[in-house]
Structure formats: C-alpha cells, structure tokens
Amino acid sequence: MSVSIDIAGLRQEGIAVLPSPLAELGSALHVLAEPVHHPGLRGWATAVSARLEPELADRLCEADFLWTALPDLFLPFAGLPGRGTLPGATIAEELDLLDKLSDEQFVAAALEFTTCGGPDTEVLGDPELRERALELSAARGPRQVRFTRRLFEDPPAVRAWFRQLVRDCEDAFFADTWARVKGRLTADARHKTEVLRHKGLAGMLAEVSPAVTLDEKGTRITIDKLWEGRTTAGDGGLVFIPTSLGWPHLLVLHRRDWQPVVHYPVSAPGTVDPPSVEQLTLRLTALAHPVRTQLCRHLARGAFTTSELADAHGMTAPEISRHLSVLKKAGLVTTRRRGRYAQHQLDLTAVARLGSDFIEGVLR
C-alpha cells in the first residue's frame, strides 16, 4: 500500500522545498485537536490551550473535526491553475491564495472529514453527492451536519469564517509559534534544496523520510502509507513542505487537478523513523503464531542455539529453524556466532517499539 506521484517529464526546476505558515498553522490546530497523536508536544498544546480566550477556544472546539485530519484547505496554493504556484511567505499571502480557489474547490477540500471530500470529487455541482455528504456528516455528528449545510448554502460565508478564524489564531498564539519554528523550517528547506541540486532527487528524498522513495527510472515517487492513492505532477510542479509540529504524520496531497504536495516532519532529536508498512506487517504476522510467541518468551531470557530450542520445545531442529527464519525476516531476532554454534536472541528494542511503531505507522 502506498501513494505514488508520477513525475515523468517533471524538470528538477519544478521541484520546490519551502515552508508554509498556513500549513504549519494547520498542523498546530491538529495538535490542539489530537494531542494524543503528538505526545512530544503535549506541553506546547497545554500552554496554548490555557491562554486561549474562551470565545476562540469554543470556536476551535466547534470546528475541530476540520483539522482532526489536516485538510487541503491549508494548502490552497496547490489548487491554483497551472499547478505551479508556491506557498506564500505569510499567513495573509496564503489566505489571499485561498480566495483564488473556486467555490467547488473550496467546498470539496472542506469536506475531507467525509469520504465525499475525496481527491476526485466535485460535490457542489452534484445533488447526489451533496445528499451523500449530508448523510455521512450526520453519521459523524450534529456539528458536522450544520457545517455541511452552511457550506452548501453559502460557500463564500464559510470561506470568510475560515479566514477570520485563521487570523484570530495567528493573533492569539500562532505568530509566536511561527517566530520560533520559522528559522528551523527555512534552514531545513534550504538544506534539502542544496541536496536536490548536488545529489539529485533520490538523495533529497532519502533525507525527507525513509518512507519516500524514487523508482529506478526516476519517474515515480512512492510514499509508504497504509492506503492507496496516486497523482501526477504533469507539466506543473511538486512541492515539499517541512513541518516542526507534524511528526509522525507524513501527508501527501493528491487531489485531482491540484499540484502534488508532500508535507513532511523535520526530524527531532530522539525520534526514530517507524518501519515500513511491509516490515510492520511482517512483525505482527510473525508474532501471531503461538509457537513463535513461545520462542520469543524463551529468547527474551538469553541466547540459544537451534538445537537447544528444539529440545526445550519438543520440536525438530528444521521446525525451529523455519520459525526462527520468520522472526529474523521480521527483524525481531538476531543471530551471532559463538565458535561453531549460532545463537539466537530476541531483539528486545525492536519488540519494545512495536506499539509505538504501529501507532506511528497508522498515523503516518
């Protein structure tokens, strides 16, 4: 499972790495709405929430479903004709770009909290899709229904409401946050641009995330995700946006007719990149077998040879070898030579990270 970006014919000059204040504000709102996704930012979220005026806090709570999953509304530059526009340098500039989206684009992007807000839908002009969106909104709650009705009845009014909310958030807390993180994001973007210039796209992607790779032909970027999606850069551009608040999320904008965008977290000290979806699946599958679970219990206590494990579990050496092979392929067991004997032991660090690896994998 993955999201792929077809970049056949895209020139290197069409690839940009830039910070986006509006995208970072979207990440900030997501952290406030879902602090459990970001344990390292709980202190920041608590401090910001404590200083919010009650009226603004109520407005954010009333609309938190919009940024529980960061919507494309925070990346409006990507939807403009020509698919070559870049993020603005300020919130005001990016809100001006938001105003240039059509009502259809704005409504479809705002409905991402329902499946009607998918990358290839035009909801506003389709009565059946509008009815479907209302049904899906009703399944999520009365706030979502009220918002969806307002969106269909008066898109410009909702756009104005969104603009005002963004400006109020900037005044209340985000201006200070942006002042602190802007330098780091700008430096990261500058570094990635230099790597792109000197080592090419593959070299730059390796520094963005191990979950982002380039195929051998250099025509397709693949982002390791737990769902499928695809888009093309075509004759437009491709933008990478760093975020200091987004880890562990690695987001990919792949809406039809929009410029592809990869919103990636800047690595923080102490963070560990989660394994690929394939590796995570291998580990969970390996541990699902009761015999391998028993072997893990044994191997957690020390290093043992295949023969020793066979005697302890009443099995043949080939049977034990097959189970060990599965565990080693999943990266859960290590093997070392002691003279003419090979001893196996459970990798406790890898096993201890399984819970967080799973969470980070599904959140990515």
Side-chain angles (χ1 to χ4, degrees):
M1 292 179 285
S2 61
V3 177
S4 64
I5 304 173
D6 187 342
I7 59 169
L10 179 67
R11 297 183 302 170
Q12 186 166 299
E13 293 77 13
I15 302 172
V17 189
L18 289 169
S20 162
L22 186 58
E24 194 71 350
L25 174 55
S27 294
L29 291 175
H30 173 74
V31 172
L32 294 175
E34 295 285 358
V36 70
H37 289 188
H38 308 271
L41 293 171
R42 283 179 181 169
W44 175 86
T46 300
V48 169
S49 298
R51 59 188 266 209
L52 287 179
E53 292 292 334
E55 186 269 342
L56 178 57
D58 289 343
R59 287 158 61 198
L60 291 178
C61 288
E62 183 65 19
D64 62 4
F65 58 86
L66 278 178
W67 32 82
T68 296
L70 190 65
D72 297 342
L73 286 179
F74 292 94
L75 303 168
F77 68 90
L80 299 185
R83 303 203 301 170
T85 306
L86 298 177
T90 65
I91 291 288
E93 289 181 15
E94 298 214 88
L95 287 176
D96 288 343
L97 297 177
L98 180 75
D99 285 343
K100 295 180 180 181
L101 295 180
S102 68
D103 282 348
E104 184 66 74
Q105 288 178 305
F106 178 81
V107 169
L111 283 175
E112 282 190 77
F113 65 90
T114 75
T115 55
C116 280
D120 300 322
T121 54
E122 295 183 355
V123 181
L124 200 59
D126 190 322
E128 291 185 5
L129 279 179
R130 289 203 306 272
E131 188 62 31
R132 178 61 176 159
L134 286 169
E135 291 176 3
L136 292 171
S137 299
R140 285 156 175 77
R143 291 182 302 151
Q144 288 87 331
V145 174
R146 288 195 298 269
F147 176 81
T148 303
R149 291 191 185 279
R150 287 175 54 206
L151 195 60
F152 290 158
E153 292 168 1
D154 195 349
V158 176
R159 196 190 306 237
W161 164 84
F162 180 77
R163 283 184 56 101
Q164 186 61 54
L165 185 63
V166 166
R167 288 196 295 264
D168 290 346
C169 288
E170 182 181 24
D171 293 340
F173 69 90
F174 185 70
D176 292 340
T177 299
W178 181 245
R180 288 196 299 272
V181 305
K182 179 182 177 181
R184 183 185 179 200
L185 298 182
T186 301
D188 183 85
R190 188 181 300 117
H191 170 70
K192 296 291 194 300
T193 301
E194 285 300 309
V195 173
L196 175 65
R197 182 178 295 117
H198 296 293
K199 297 184 179 179
L201 182 56
M204 191 268 279
L205 294 181
E207 296 208 10
V208 167
S209 169
V212 184
T213 56
L214 183 68
D215 70 354
E216 293 183 356
K217 295 181 179 179
T219 60
R220 185 175 299 277
I221 295 172
T222 300
I223 300 92
D224 190 45
K225 303 283 278 186
L226 274 169
W227 43 275
E228 295 286 344
R230 63 184 59 196
T231 187
T232 177
D235 56 359
L238 171 62
V239 179
F240 291 83
I241 296 179
T243 170
S244 65
L245 300 175
W247 190 90
H249 304 307
L250 176 62
L251 306 178
V252 187
L253 189 160
H254 59 101
R255 184 177 294 276
R256 188 184 65 186
D257 296 331
W258 286 45
Q259 184 176 192
V261 178
V262 178
H263 194 205
Y264 68 92
V266 175
S267 297
T271 59
V272 178
D273 291 313
S276 67
V277 171
E278 180 183 7
Q279 186 75 350
L280 182 59
T281 302
L282 282 174
R283 291 181 176 180
L284 295 176
T285 301
L287 293 175
H289 197 288
V291 171
R292 290 194 284 271
T293 303
Q294 292 173 16
L295 285 175
C296 286
R297 182 176 183 274
H298 209 117
L299 295 171
R301 289 164 168 77
F304 297 91
T305 66
T306 302
S307 296
E308 289 172 329
L309 293 170
D311 291 340
H313 291 270
M315 301 173 66
T316 65
E319 288 176 320
I320 292 294
S321 293
R322 284 194 292 271
H323 287 298
L324 287 174
S325 177
V326 173
L327 291 168
K328 285 192 285 187
K329 186 176 181 180
L332 297 174
V333 166
T334 60
T335 300
R336 61 184 179 182
R337 302 293 304 188
R338 284 292 183 266
R340 56 196 184 93
Y341 296 102
Q343 293 182 327
H344 315 286
Q345 191 164 15
L346 190 67
D347 187 336
L348 293 175
T349 300
V351 176
R353 273 198 53 84
L354 266 177
S356 55
D357 283 345
F358 177 76
I359 292 172
E360 292 161 16
V362 297
L363 290 179
R364 186 172 65 207

